[in-house]
Amino acid sequence: MFTRDDSSESDEAFVWQVGAVSRHLRSLPSDNPESAHLSGIAQEVSDNSLPSPGLRLSLTAYAYFLEHEGRLEEALEVLGIATRTHGESVPPVDFATAALFAARLNRLLARWSAALNCYLVAEKAAIVADDRTLQLRSRLGRGAVARGMGNLPLARAISEEVAQAALEAKLPEMEAFAYTDLGAVYSVEGKKVEFVQANYQAFRLTEDPLHRMRTLGDIGMGLVELGAYDSARLAFGIVLTSQTSFVVRTNALLELMELESSAGNRLAFHRMRGEAEELSERMPPSMLADFHFKVGTGLARFGQMGRALAELRAGLALSETHKLNSWYFRFESMLNELAKGEPREPERTPDSSWSDSPALKEVAVGLREYASSTA
């Protein structure tokens, strides 16, 4: 894309192509964020033999925008182009950063082997660069892959190891990420109180807006499991009205849909379901599996068994295709339960009970204070 021969014909073709692209971009809506990204990239294109750092930054920013929009395949493609602008030699820090980005995109796409390889090469580059933060991020990424593939003991061990290492290195943001990952392991293991506590610890430690909203969504999930519906609605509502990423906001929408079906609010459930269905084509595989599961179980709760079975079978097929092992077993278990009759609603702790717990009361008070401070 960035190389051409030394002939005059090649130079003329290059100038013509740049002009054609520029004319097309001028015809796009000026208030469209994607148009702004594409125009910025075009402005950085020059006839120099080596692309400028500005072009690389513009391409990388566009890749982040595509991830934010849930267009993960396109984000990977643009990231690859951005990395190639370095030429034959990529500085270790830049290589590690790009590898972490690629690993995350592959993980969201459930490409476990590709994601693991990216995390491994990212850690090697981080060691060369002597960058402790990047090293710990790479390790946490390997833990996330282990969790996605169902290896919970390994995932938990990696999270605990990184949390301790980050504490010793005085890296609170990395410590927050480690607690977030530990909370994800607790979630799969069914340890509800530990899940909320780990995520609240991350919420207190992080100063990054995106991480804070992700963590807030996770806290909301835990509060739902504990029967604290009002606090959970507050948490999800904050996320939904924030300017955070597509993935984080859509996750909050799915969890709010699950909350309303658990609470028996049929109209609210179907309203949330309709909003989520409009976004389903942009959902990565693991999120789409979550969508099918929550819709299927919600429909079953309201006695719509035929439609519930269809949703759960679609999720089972999706999980098998993308090797989402944990999801596959969840779908299989729920389908078996439905075959025996309507699923029994899980017993939930009433608000008056969980609020007496000092640890969880701290969470509730903290959420109210945060909501007041951002109102």
PDB file of all heavy atoms in Angstrom, residues 202-219:
ATOM      1  N   ALA A 202     -11.310  -2.684  42.180  1.00  0.00           N
ATOM      2  CA  ALA A 202     -10.829  -2.144  40.910  1.00  0.00           C
ATOM      3  C   ALA A 202     -11.433  -0.774  40.633  1.00  0.00           C
ATOM      4  O   ALA A 202     -10.744   0.142  40.163  1.00  0.00           O
ATOM      5  CB  ALA A 202     -11.171  -3.111  39.776  1.00  0.00           C
ATOM      6  N   PHE A 203     -12.712  -0.605  40.912  1.00  0.00           N
ATOM      7  CA  PHE A 203     -13.408   0.664  40.715  1.00  0.00           C
ATOM      8  C   PHE A 203     -12.736   1.781  41.509  1.00  0.00           C
ATOM      9  O   PHE A 203     -12.587   2.907  41.019  1.00  0.00           O
ATOM     10  CB  PHE A 203     -14.870   0.493  41.134  1.00  0.00           C
ATOM     11  CG  PHE A 203     -15.716   1.716  40.984  1.00  0.00           C
ATOM     12  CD1 PHE A 203     -16.211   2.092  39.748  1.00  0.00           C
ATOM     13  CD2 PHE A 203     -16.033   2.493  42.096  1.00  0.00           C
ATOM     14  CE1 PHE A 203     -17.008   3.220  39.606  1.00  0.00           C
ATOM     15  CE2 PHE A 203     -16.827   3.616  41.968  1.00  0.00           C
ATOM     16  CZ  PHE A 203     -17.322   3.985  40.720  1.00  0.00           C
ATOM     17  N   ARG A 204     -12.327   1.486  42.726  1.00  0.00           N
ATOM     18  CA  ARG A 204     -11.682   2.485  43.576  1.00  0.00           C
ATOM     19  C   ARG A 204     -10.270   2.819  43.093  1.00  0.00           C
ATOM     20  O   ARG A 204      -9.813   3.956  43.244  1.00  0.00           O
ATOM     21  CB  ARG A 204     -11.617   1.978  45.014  1.00  0.00           C
ATOM     22  CG  ARG A 204     -12.986   1.824  45.683  1.00  0.00           C
ATOM     23  CD  ARG A 204     -12.848   1.241  47.081  1.00  0.00           C
ATOM     24  NE  ARG A 204     -12.033   2.083  47.931  1.00  0.00           N
ATOM     25  CZ  ARG A 204     -11.549   1.720  49.114  1.00  0.00           C
ATOM     26  NH1 ARG A 204     -11.815   0.496  49.580  1.00  0.00           N
ATOM     27  NH2 ARG A 204     -10.826   2.540  49.831  1.00  0.00           N
ATOM     28  N   LEU A 205      -9.592   1.838  42.509  1.00  0.00           N
ATOM     29  CA  LEU A 205      -8.200   2.040  42.123  1.00  0.00           C
ATOM     30  C   LEU A 205      -8.043   2.767  40.792  1.00  0.00           C
ATOM     31  O   LEU A 205      -7.110   3.543  40.604  1.00  0.00           O
ATOM     32  CB  LEU A 205      -7.472   0.693  42.042  1.00  0.00           C
ATOM     33  CG  LEU A 205      -7.107   0.028  43.369  1.00  0.00           C
ATOM     34  CD1 LEU A 205      -6.752  -1.435  43.148  1.00  0.00           C
ATOM     35  CD2 LEU A 205      -5.937   0.766  44.026  1.00  0.00           C
ATOM     36  N   THR A 206      -8.947   2.494  39.848  1.00  0.00           N
ATOM     37  CA  THR A 206      -8.738   3.001  38.495  1.00  0.00           C
ATOM     38  C   THR A 206      -9.130   4.464  38.355  1.00  0.00           C
ATOM     39  O   THR A 206     -10.064   4.936  39.006  1.00  0.00           O
ATOM     40  CB  THR A 206      -9.518   2.162  37.469  1.00  0.00           C
ATOM     41  OG1 THR A 206      -9.177   2.600  36.159  1.00  0.00           O
ATOM     42  CG2 THR A 206     -11.022   2.291  37.669  1.00  0.00           C
ATOM     43  N   GLU A 207      -8.417   5.163  37.478  1.00  0.00           N
ATOM     44  CA  GLU A 207      -8.755   6.532  37.119  1.00  0.00           C
ATOM     45  C   GLU A 207      -9.096   6.634  35.637  1.00  0.00           C
ATOM     46  O   GLU A 207      -9.422   7.710  35.147  1.00  0.00           O
ATOM     47  CB  GLU A 207      -7.603   7.475  37.461  1.00  0.00           C
ATOM     48  CG  GLU A 207      -7.317   7.575  38.960  1.00  0.00           C
ATOM     49  CD  GLU A 207      -6.217   8.567  39.286  1.00  0.00           C
ATOM     50  OE1 GLU A 207      -5.675   9.177  38.318  1.00  0.00           O
ATOM     51  OE2 GLU A 207      -5.891   8.749  40.466  1.00  0.00           O
ATOM     52  N   ASP A 208      -9.026   5.509  34.933  1.00  0.00           N
ATOM     53  CA  ASP A 208      -9.319   5.484  33.506  1.00  0.00           C
ATOM     54  C   ASP A 208     -10.837   5.428  33.293  1.00  0.00           C
ATOM     55  O   ASP A 208     -11.500   4.523  33.812  1.00  0.00           O
ATOM     56  CB  ASP A 208      -8.652   4.273  32.859  1.00  0.00           C
ATOM     57  CG  ASP A 208      -8.960   4.173  31.389  1.00  0.00           C
ATOM     58  OD1 ASP A 208      -8.365   4.929  30.594  1.00  0.00           O
ATOM     59  OD2 ASP A 208      -9.817   3.349  31.020  1.00  0.00           O
ATOM     60  N   PRO A 209     -11.424   6.359  32.522  1.00  0.00           N
ATOM     61  CA  PRO A 209     -12.889   6.394  32.358  1.00  0.00           C
ATOM     62  C   PRO A 209     -13.471   5.112  31.770  1.00  0.00           C
ATOM     63  O   PRO A 209     -14.526   4.644  32.227  1.00  0.00           O
ATOM     64  CB  PRO A 209     -13.110   7.592  31.418  1.00  0.00           C
ATOM     65  CG  PRO A 209     -11.908   8.457  31.608  1.00  0.00           C
ATOM     66  CD  PRO A 209     -10.773   7.506  31.851  1.00  0.00           C
ATOM     67  N   LEU A 210     -12.812   4.544  30.749  1.00  0.00           N
ATOM     68  CA  LEU A 210     -13.323   3.325  30.132  1.00  0.00           C
ATOM     69  C   LEU A 210     -13.286   2.157  31.105  1.00  0.00           C
ATOM     70  O   LEU A 210     -14.261   1.405  31.238  1.00  0.00           O
ATOM     71  CB  LEU A 210     -12.519   2.992  28.869  1.00  0.00           C
ATOM     72  CG  LEU A 210     -12.916   1.709  28.141  1.00  0.00           C
ATOM     73  CD1 LEU A 210     -14.379   1.751  27.706  1.00  0.00           C
ATOM     74  CD2 LEU A 210     -12.002   1.485  26.936  1.00  0.00           C
ATOM     75  N   HIS A 211     -12.164   2.006  31.794  1.00  0.00           N
ATOM     76  CA  HIS A 211     -12.041   0.920  32.772  1.00  0.00           C
ATOM     77  C   HIS A 211     -13.071   1.103  33.889  1.00  0.00           C
ATOM     78  O   HIS A 211     -13.672   0.142  34.363  1.00  0.00           O
ATOM     79  CB  HIS A 211     -10.620   0.896  33.341  1.00  0.00           C
ATOM     80  CG  HIS A 211     -10.335  -0.295  34.196  1.00  0.00           C
ATOM     81  ND1 HIS A 211      -9.231  -0.364  35.010  1.00  0.00           N
ATOM     82  CD2 HIS A 211     -11.011  -1.468  34.387  1.00  0.00           C
ATOM     83  CE1 HIS A 211      -9.233  -1.524  35.657  1.00  0.00           C
ATOM     84  NE2 HIS A 211     -10.307  -2.202  35.292  1.00  0.00           N
ATOM     85  N   ARG A 212     -13.277   2.347  34.307  1.00  0.00           N
ATOM     86  CA  ARG A 212     -14.239   2.601  35.374  1.00  0.00           C
ATOM     87  C   ARG A 212     -15.647   2.182  34.963  1.00  0.00           C
ATOM     88  O   ARG A 212     -16.386   1.562  35.732  1.00  0.00           O
ATOM     89  CB  ARG A 212     -14.220   4.091  35.749  1.00  0.00           C
ATOM     90  CG  ARG A 212     -15.094   4.431  36.947  1.00  0.00           C
ATOM     91  CD  ARG A 212     -14.971   5.905  37.280  1.00  0.00           C
ATOM     92  NE  ARG A 212     -13.682   6.196  37.888  1.00  0.00           N
ATOM     93  CZ  ARG A 212     -13.421   6.105  39.186  1.00  0.00           C
ATOM     94  NH1 ARG A 212     -14.369   5.721  40.018  1.00  0.00           N
ATOM     95  NH2 ARG A 212     -12.244   6.398  39.660  1.00  0.00           N
ATOM     96  N   MET A 213     -16.046   2.486  33.714  1.00  0.00           N
ATOM     97  CA  MET A 213     -17.379   2.107  33.253  1.00  0.00           C
ATOM     98  C   MET A 213     -17.500   0.595  33.083  1.00  0.00           C
ATOM     99  O   MET A 213     -18.540   0.002  33.374  1.00  0.00           O
ATOM    100  CB  MET A 213     -17.711   2.817  31.943  1.00  0.00           C
ATOM    101  CG  MET A 213     -17.987   4.310  32.093  1.00  0.00           C
ATOM    102  SD  MET A 213     -19.386   4.685  33.192  1.00  0.00           S
ATOM    103  CE  MET A 213     -18.515   5.225  34.673  1.00  0.00           C
ATOM    104  N   ARG A 214     -16.450  -0.030  32.584  1.00  0.00           N
ATOM    105  CA  ARG A 214     -16.472  -1.495  32.486  1.00  0.00           C
ATOM    106  C   ARG A 214     -16.666  -2.119  33.866  1.00  0.00           C
ATOM    107  O   ARG A 214     -17.466  -3.039  34.048  1.00  0.00           O
ATOM    108  CB  ARG A 214     -15.161  -1.997  31.879  1.00  0.00           C
ATOM    109  CG  ARG A 214     -15.045  -1.853  30.380  1.00  0.00           C
ATOM    110  CD  ARG A 214     -13.671  -2.286  29.933  1.00  0.00           C
ATOM    111  NE  ARG A 214     -13.531  -2.270  28.484  1.00  0.00           N
ATOM    112  CZ  ARG A 214     -12.373  -2.192  27.843  1.00  0.00           C
ATOM    113  NH1 ARG A 214     -11.245  -2.117  28.536  1.00  0.00           N
ATOM    114  NH2 ARG A 214     -12.332  -2.206  26.531  1.00  0.00           N
ATOM    115  N   THR A 215     -15.912  -1.612  34.820  1.00  0.00           N
ATOM    116  CA  THR A 215     -15.990  -2.146  36.174  1.00  0.00           C
ATOM    117  C   THR A 215     -17.349  -1.882  36.798  1.00  0.00           C
ATOM    118  O   THR A 215     -17.911  -2.739  37.490  1.00  0.00           O
ATOM    119  CB  THR A 215     -14.874  -1.527  37.043  1.00  0.00           C
ATOM    120  OG1 THR A 215     -13.604  -1.747  36.415  1.00  0.00           O
ATOM    121  CG2 THR A 215     -14.853  -2.146  38.429  1.00  0.00           C
ATOM    122  N   LEU A 216     -17.895  -0.715  36.534  1.00  0.00           N
ATOM    123  CA  LEU A 216     -19.213  -0.387  37.059  1.00  0.00           C
ATOM    124  C   LEU A 216     -20.273  -1.341  36.509  1.00  0.00           C
ATOM    125  O   LEU A 216     -21.180  -1.766  37.228  1.00  0.00           O
ATOM    126  CB  LEU A 216     -19.560   1.054  36.713  1.00  0.00           C
ATOM    127  CG  LEU A 216     -20.820   1.648  37.355  1.00  0.00           C
ATOM    128  CD1 LEU A 216     -20.763   1.526  38.863  1.00  0.00           C
ATOM    129  CD2 LEU A 216     -20.973   3.102  36.932  1.00  0.00           C
ATOM    130  N   GLY A 217     -20.147  -1.684  35.232  1.00  0.00           N
ATOM    131  CA  GLY A 217     -21.059  -2.664  34.661  1.00  0.00           C
ATOM    132  C   GLY A 217     -20.941  -4.014  35.340  1.00  0.00           C
ATOM    133  O   GLY A 217     -21.949  -4.690  35.607  1.00  0.00           O
ATOM    134  N   ASP A 218     -19.712  -4.415  35.649  1.00  0.00           N
ATOM    135  CA  ASP A 218     -19.499  -5.691  36.340  1.00  0.00           C
ATOM    136  C   ASP A 218     -20.075  -5.659  37.759  1.00  0.00           C
ATOM    137  O   ASP A 218     -20.648  -6.653  38.232  1.00  0.00           O
ATOM    138  CB  ASP A 218     -18.004  -6.014  36.392  1.00  0.00           C
ATOM    139  CG  ASP A 218     -17.441  -6.384  35.027  1.00  0.00           C
ATOM    140  OD1 ASP A 218     -18.245  -6.744  34.137  1.00  0.00           O
ATOM    141  OD2 ASP A 218     -16.217  -6.312  34.852  1.00  0.00           O
ATOM    142  N   ILE A 219     -19.914  -4.550  38.434  1.00  0.00           N
ATOM    143  CA  ILE A 219     -20.496  -4.415  39.780  1.00  0.00           C
ATOM    144  C   ILE A 219     -22.014  -4.540  39.699  1.00  0.00           C
ATOM    145  O   ILE A 219     -22.651  -5.197  40.538  1.00  0.00           O
ATOM    146  CB  ILE A 219     -20.077  -3.079  40.416  1.00  0.00           C
ATOM    147  CG1 ILE A 219     -18.580  -3.089  40.731  1.00  0.00           C
ATOM    148  CG2 ILE A 219     -20.881  -2.802  41.686  1.00  0.00           C
ATOM    149  CD1 ILE A 219     -18.032  -1.734  41.153  1.00  0.00           C
TER     150      ILE A 219
END
